[in-house]
Amino acid sequence: MVRTTRQWQLSALGPGNLAQGTAEVVSPVGSEVLVRTEAVSLNYRDKLVVETGMGLALRFPFVPASDMAGVVEAVGPQASRFKVGDRVISTFSPMWIDGKPLGNARTPPYRALGGASPGVLSEMVTFPEDWFSHAPETLDAAEASTLPCAGLTAWFALIEQGKLQAGERVLIKGTGGVAMFGLAIAKAYGAEVFVTSSSAAKLTRAKALGADHLLMREGWVETVLEITGDDGIDHVLDLAGGEGFAQSLAAVAVGGRISVIGVLEGFDLSGPAGLLLLKSPVVQGIGVGHRRALEDFVRAIDAKGLKPVIDRRYGFDAVPDAFAHLDRGPFGKVVITF
Amino acid sequence: MVRTTRQWQLSALGPGNLAQGTAEVVSPVGSEVLVRTEAVSLNYRDKLVVETGMGLALRFPFVPASDMAGVVEAVGPQASRFKVGDRVISTFSPMWIDGKPLGNARTPPYRALGGASPGVLSEMVTFPEDWFSHAPETLDAAEASTLPCAGLTAWFALIEQGKLQAGERVLIKGTGGVAMFGLAIAKAYGAEVFVTSSSAAKLTRAKALGADHLLMREGWVETVLEITGDDGIDHVLDLAGGEGFAQSLAAVAVGGRISVIGVLEGFDLSGPAGLLLLKSPVVQGIGVGHRRALEDFVRAIDAKGLKPVIDRRYGFDAVPDAFAHLDRGPFGKVVITF
Amino acid sequence: MVRTTRQWQLSALGPGNLAQGTAEVVSPVGSEVLVRTEAVSLNYRDKLVVETGMGLALRFPFVPASDMAGVVEAVGPQASRFKVGDRVISTFSPMWIDGKPLGNARTPPYRALGGASPGVLSEMVTFPEDWFSHAPETLDAAEASTLPCAGLTAWFALIEQGKLQAGERVLIKGTGGVAMFGLAIAKAYGAEVFVTSSSAAKLTRAKALGADHLLMREGWVETVLEITGDDGIDHVLDLAGGEGFAQSLAAVAVGGRISVIGVLEGFDLSGPAGLLLLKSPVVQGIGVGHRRALEDFVRAIDAKGLKPVIDRRYGFDAVPDAFAHLDRGPFGKVVITF
Amino acid sequence: MVRTTRQWQLSALGPGNLAQGTAEVVSPVGSEVLVRTEAVSLNYRDKLVVETGMGLALRFPFVPASDMAGVVEAVGPQASRFKVGDRVISTFSPMWIDGKPLGNARTPPYRALGGASPGVLSEMVTFPEDWFSHAPETLDAAEASTLPCAGLTAWFALIEQGKLQAGERVLIKGTGGVAMFGLAIAKAYGAEVFVTSSSAAKLTRAKALGADHLLMREGWVETVLEITGDDGIDHVLDLAGGEGFAQSLAAVAVGGRISVIGVLEGFDLSGPAGLLLLKSPVVQGIGVGHRRALEDFVRAIDAKGLKPVIDRRYGFDAVPDAFAHLDRGPFGKVVITF
């Protein structure tokens, strides 16, 4: 008898074409594992894929979303990394294990789940075991589901690439999912954290989470220079892009770092070359990160008791509401629980 | 009796105010050394300082230029790094010995000779010994004078920061002083080198110096992708800035590096953030470099027999002609010999 | 009228030749500063210098010790980094500002205060301003005096060189001054910390300071492998040297790091090369560190509220008792307050 | 009809049990490829495996050796990296693609071909495509077969880990396979190379290959210090281990690097800790390297025209003679051609 699973399927591009459906549960072969999904967290990218396809060759019915937490239900005969009952999370870039990113200059690496690879908004998924990591012991499934994209992006920028040290200064633009992970990681490391937002209410919430300095969007560069005695910011998480990059260059410390993070469409980076030359910061785009760093991050979460910030949890039937929430600028993450 | 030295002095901003004059030779005290100048190489920045002051608080009469080679004539009682007769070259950023750059976020480090610090277009100079390095044994004074700014910039970008490996691909924009040092260093390391120029004649000269691929300015990104089998460029020396940065992002390899180099005024950096995120290259402005790297570079020059490219040598009396040459886009460096 | 200062002076090698004396207070010239000492912390090296001279060409009367905290009383006309009233600490290696260590292969860098350079066990000292850093705001003078050697050594090993990440495992051998700084830093970073000792009492004290796992000296390698699920230790602070190095190689994780720290005399490092090849850890001797890292460390102390562990504070007249304490294996640091 | 391949098989431990035999050719499934072997190069480790098993759980009949070059004859349906006719070389550590080494602290990573994984002394082999890299275009099969272990070890030590710069000083102990690769790589990078040997004849051959300084085994440390003006060696390739490590510590520059390379059995590393602390070199065991670095190395070979040093080529039937050659200390590599 064929076993089936419920899932959200896109029959064609456009949010109106997203609906619940069923699919056959695939038995794991080789080194595949069958995982029962407990939670999926959404990224703004998921919304863009549903709406525009982002230039990817999607196969319909298409299952969206990349980030999930679940429990291993069955393992293929050659699987060696997991056993039945293990709590796991997905990886965003399924083939990138460690070291240099994949892809080439013409076709950069963007083989994420819920895009070039299958998605996870499904009660059961069968994937190669290499596409999963162990979940942290100290997080529930909803919290754990936020790590693969938003969490790892902040960790990869600040720690794997940025080698953040205690006592350094971090500036975070905004209060979305990556931003609030950045805040949590930076505070856990003993950084002095500056958060910018256009919303006083969101700044107040960021303060409750440990932000040291709150900056309204106007004129914040001068404020940063004054607070830091002109030393500036060691690490900018530039989540806005566009014109804001010029402000990042004005605020960054000599020899500092600007991590550029964001959705992939619709904006240019622009700023004065003179400041780039004189201060010689490293500017680096962050395209999420590799599985080894995700494993490091999971270990750090358990060691430090880091907690993801979840703005709201939705039930499986409320997926359209969850997508709509993404447009309203969530404070932290939006999660579907199964 | 007071000993005097000839020098070029600026009495006020503006090229019309540059004239030969004399100054007293200062006896070295403490750890200063007195150096007899044999050659000075000019940078486009020297021209900007003469014309505009570049926002610096110059004291008139002002002596321009930062890069020189000479011979130690006398040493102060506490000098320990040099002795009389040593062949030396100046350092561009006199206080930056090793490690992180100096200065702060509001006032970035720009204390170069011939600017915030005194200049070298003088037959005799008396400076702290820390402002000098030993000259390479295998270069004459004119060649050695080209190292402190243009040479070190290329070395710092490709080697000190870029850790260039044999077999990597390097793209160099243009054929000026830094560019032709980049070509020489990259070829000495066994890189495959691409050079862009709008001048076919200059490309022909670059080919004679070892350039593997010559690219006219139009449509070169597609050519690069074809030649490299879509792998792209591991290291871009972006000497043009401005719109060209978008092309650098299109041509750079996944996980590659773009070193932004250039004059400090008059242009913005601009390019699509999507490519920056997906390829995750390191983008770094290069503000010349520290003395320890200059010492490494000098050692490499002697080991590999690297030769700077000098477009033309002028006599001491022809300084105005040499400055005028800067406007015509020299192929390599312009040098004054004393 | 000549102003004098009390100090401890060594008239000849040997602890019996250490006595209180006086010296003239030197007015600061150039970029020197005159500092009133408030506290001095002792290192085992200070004892060795007093007893054996450690091969250094000491000039008698010789003032021992390298680590102090104090207040600036006067500044020379060219001093720019400090003003009267600033709270400062000394640097251990006075000429090493940033980047590569000084010295050469035959004569390694060991120009520390209280050795090749003058010592600090004096109520007033006059040194170049480059030999000082600002003290942390959150430590008293006795606490601050422990940073220049023991504190910076632990920071340099774990953070500047080791790039410690939250969630990594750190093993610390012993409970002396460097060890207890290593514990504090590692816990502040969210590491899982293992401490070894032959004293159950000291292990109990280490546990109170946050150590996660306590290891008696016998058979600890197997215990570590069991606790870590065979993953081993990411960062070993090898403070014992000698045969213990073989145990460090057995316990270290694949691709981990072993920092070798200790006094400079009397032992060889020895261990099986096979483990070094197969696990490929970085093994690095730590010779304290540079001033830029000390400044980073000071900033981290204030940000994280780190507190040095002081075993006992002695008065100025009790210096011989403090030296004797070093032989008994202090738990943390021994400090003289003025 | 079953197709068979000739191969050298070990029926039980001991060189007397090595004999020619046949095996069935396995058709590639999944992402496997079938490769026709053209050359195999031997390492001393292969001899140890045949004689002692090196503690590995070998399955008999066992096929020895790890390093081969050949041509792809067939590809499995999911293979994507190679096509029929591609010239390939094997990788030594088949699962290590990039980044951190595999394995754990108790069971370090040693899953090499011709050991924990199957060997290559066979006319046809069928392996996962991930176990191969493209061969360089500029080498014949015998030359290409020397890269996976000896060649990559030298490259990994000097370039991937060591970031060798032109003008630096490299000291190489001995004239075996890794050593002569080290010489070729170091000279290609513009290093000044010192070679030690107990054989004047071998030193003469090393000089012909570009060695700058030849050192007989006695008293070479003092010679090195004299030649280098006391600066010492930036990078030591320590291929001898044991007592020689103390000499490496004496010769290494401040802040330099010692790469420890060698067979895995039978010796301890031993040296004075004082020099390790004062000079603070990085000491790192090199366990060959990952596939991404092998790909970089292949690219560098083609770019620089590097040629492996082959002491002698043997035919397929002369495998026992080739093994015997390993005991006589070959100058460079010993290769079997098919």
Side-chain angles (χ1 to χ4, degrees), chain D residues 158 172 178-188 193 195 206 209-211 237:
Chain D
L158 289 172
I172 295 168
V178 177
M180 290 302 91
F181 268 112
L183 172 58
I185 294 166
K187 287 310 299 177
V193 183
V195 176
L209 293 168
L237 283 192

Side-chain angles (χ1 to χ4, degrees), chain D:
Chain D
M1 200 194 79
V2 170
R3 184 179 172 196
T4 59
T5 178
R6 287 199 304 161
Q7 58 185 207
W8 281 87
Q9 298 171 338
L10 196 67
S11 54
L13 286 187
N17 301 314
L18 186 64
Q20 287 193 39
T22 58
E24 188 177 334
V25 172
V26 179
S27 290
V29 298
S31 61
E32 289 177 341
V33 292
L34 170 66
V35 177
R36 178 170 46 78
T37 308
E38 294 187 311
V40 167
S41 87
L42 296 183
N43 298 299
Y44 194 76
R45 165 191 166 270
D46 298 323
K47 193 167 188 311
L48 291 177
V49 169
V50 166
E51 288 175 358
T52 73
M54 291 184 77
L56 300 163
L58 307 182
R59 286 191 297 181
F60 300 102
F62 170 78
V63 176
S66 60
D67 299 5
M68 63 165 283
V71 176
V72 175
E73 287 234 331
V75 301
Q78 276 137 44
S80 62
R81 297 177 60 240
F82 301 105
K83 62 182 190 303
V84 172
D86 280 356
R87 299 176 62 240
V88 296
I89 55 177
S90 56
T91 57
F92 184 79
S93 304
M95 312 305 290
W96 189 18
I97 306 303
D98 198 353
K100 287 182 78 170
L102 308 174
N104 63 35
R106 191 190 294 272
T107 310
Y110 202 60
R111 304 175 187 161
L113 304 193
S117 298
V120 299
L121 209 39
S122 174
E123 286 181 335
M124 306 294 296
V125 296
T126 304
F127 291 155
E129 67 171 349
D130 275 344
W131 298 16
F132 292 98
S133 290
H134 287 280
E137 296 175 9
T138 54
L139 298 186
D140 67 24
E143 293 163 336
S145 77
T146 65
L147 305 183
C149 179
L152 181 55
T153 298
W155 174 267
F156 211 74
L158 289 172
I159 310 302
E160 175 72 20
Q161 306 267 31
K163 312 292 184 204
L164 183 67
Q165 289 185 1
E168 291 189 325
R169 296 185 178 104
V170 175
L171 184 136
I172 295 168
K173 293 188 181 176
T175 56
V178 177
M180 290 302 91
F181 268 112
L183 172 58
I185 294 166
K187 287 310 299 177
Y189 264 71
E192 184 180 358
V193 183
F194 300 68
V195 176
T196 74
S197 176
S198 56
S199 156
K202 286 181 175 171
L203 286 177
T204 302
R205 292 173 75 179
K207 187 172 182 60
L209 293 168
D212 298 286
H213 305 286
L214 311 177
L215 304 167
M216 294 299 286
R217 284 258 164 87
E218 288 297 308
W220 62 262
V221 171
E222 182 59 28
T223 307
V224 163
L225 294 179
E226 284 169 12
I227 291 173
T228 64
D230 286 353
D231 280 341
I233 299 294
D234 299 293
H235 202 136
V236 178
L237 283 192
D238 195 329
L239 292 138
E243 289 178 27
F245 182 66
Q247 296 172 307
S248 298
L249 283 173
V252 74
V254 169
R257 174 176 279 264
I258 301 172
S259 296
V260 180
I261 298 167
V263 293
L264 305 173
E265 296 184 342
F267 65 90
D268 270 16
L269 204 69
S270 176
L275 287 175
L276 186 66
L277 300 182
L278 285 173
K279 295 185 178 183
S280 197
V282 167
V283 178
Q284 190 160 22
I286 302 295
V288 193
H290 49 56
R291 194 182 75 197
R292 201 260 302 143
L294 180 61
E295 292 165 349
D296 290 347
F297 182 35
V298 164
R299 196 158 66 141
I301 284 170
D302 283 341
K304 293 293 288 189
L306 287 181
K307 288 291 175 192
V309 177
I310 296 178
D311 196 356
R312 188 157 163 199
R313 301 173 188 220
Y314 292 86
F316 184 78
D317 295 335
V319 161
D321 297 337
F323 270 95
H325 193 159
L326 292 175
D327 275 334
R328 299 195 303 272
F331 185 90
K333 297 294 295 174
V334 172
V335 177
I336 319 292
T337 54
F338 283 56

Side-chain angles (χ1 to χ4, degrees), chain A residues 215-306:
Chain A
L215 304 166
M216 294 301 285
R217 286 257 164 87
E218 288 298 308
W220 61 263
V221 170
E222 182 58 30
T223 307
V224 163
L225 293 179
E226 282 168 13
I227 291 173
T228 64
D230 286 352
D231 281 340
I233 299 294
D234 299 293
H235 203 136
V236 178
L237 283 192
D238 194 329
L239 291 138
E243 288 177 29
F245 182 66
Q247 295 171 307
S248 297
L249 283 173
V252 73
V254 170
R257 173 176 279 265
I258 301 172
S259 296
V260 180
I261 298 167
V263 293
L264 304 173
E265 296 184 342
F267 66 91
D268 270 16
L269 204 68
S270 175
L275 287 175
L276 187 66
L277 300 182
L278 286 173
K279 295 186 177 183
S280 197
V282 167
V283 177
Q284 189 160 23
I286 301 294
V288 193
H290 50 56
R291 194 183 76 198
R292 202 259 302 143
L294 180 61
E295 292 165 349
D296 290 348
F297 181 35
V298 164
R299 199 159 63 144
I301 284 170
D302 283 340
K304 294 294 288 189
L306 287 182

Side-chain angles (χ1 to χ4, degrees), chain A residues 165, chain C residues 41 43 67 89-94 96-97 133 143-162 177-182 185 237 259 261 286-298 301 306 308 333:
Chain A
Q165 289 186 3
Chain C
S41 88
N43 298 299
D67 300 4
I89 56 177
S90 56
T91 57
F92 183 79
S93 304
W96 189 18
I97 305 303
S133 290
E143 293 163 337
S145 78
T146 66
L147 305 183
C149 178
L152 180 56
T153 297
W155 174 267
F156 210 74
L158 289 172
I159 309 302
E160 175 72 21
Q161 306 265 31
V178 177
M180 291 302 91
F181 268 111
I185 293 166
L237 282 192
S259 295
I261 298 167
I286 301 295
V288 192
H290 50 55
R291 193 182 77 196
R292 201 259 302 143
L294 180 61
E295 291 166 349
D296 289 348
F297 181 35
V298 164
I301 284 171
L306 287 182
K333 297 294 295 174

